[in-house]
């Protein structure tokens, strides 16, 4: 019983310890790295937007034909 309780008590301690180690290792990105990340995210937005636009462009006319323009 005591061993099980000790294992349960260690879980939050381990979480806090690992979290503080992670935060200490994190660094703020420099300007070049930030620009690279921003470009990647921007390209992702553009690609996903284009895919969504083309799906809607194809889906709406096909849906109108199938449903009959209700």
């Amino acid at each position: 019983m005591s061993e099980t309780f000790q294992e349960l008590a260690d879980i939050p301690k381990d979480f806090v310890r690992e979290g503080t180690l992670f935060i200490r290792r994190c660094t703020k990105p420099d300007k070049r790295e930030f620009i690279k990340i921003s470009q990647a995210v921007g390209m992702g937005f553009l690609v996903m937007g284009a895919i969504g636009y083309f799906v809607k462009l194809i889906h709406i006319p096909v849906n109108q034909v199938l449903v009959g323009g209700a």
Side-chain angles (χ1 to χ4, degrees):
M1 169 105 174
S2 175
E3 186 176 305
T4 306
F5 180 74
Q6 185 63 33
E7 288 176 9
L8 287 175
D10 286 341
I11 292 173
K13 289 178 190 175
D14 292 340
F15 178 76
V16 170
R17 184 174 46 82
E18 290 172 6
T20 53
L21 287 173
F22 176 75
I23 294 296
R24 285 184 190 153
R25 266 191 253 149
C26 289
T27 58
K28 190 174 179 179
D30 59 354
K31 187 175 181 179
R32 187 176 59 85
E33 186 179 8
F34 178 77
I35 290 172
K36 206 170 196 178
I37 292 170
S38 300
Q39 287 174 343
V41 169
M43 287 301 294
F45 273 115
L46 287 174
V47 168
M48 292 303 289
I51 290 171
Y53 176 75
F54 288 120
V55 166
K56 273 296 199 192
L57 195 66
I58 294 168
H59 177 69
I60 291 174
V62 170
N63 195 24
Q64 293 293 332
V65 170
L66 293 176
V67 174

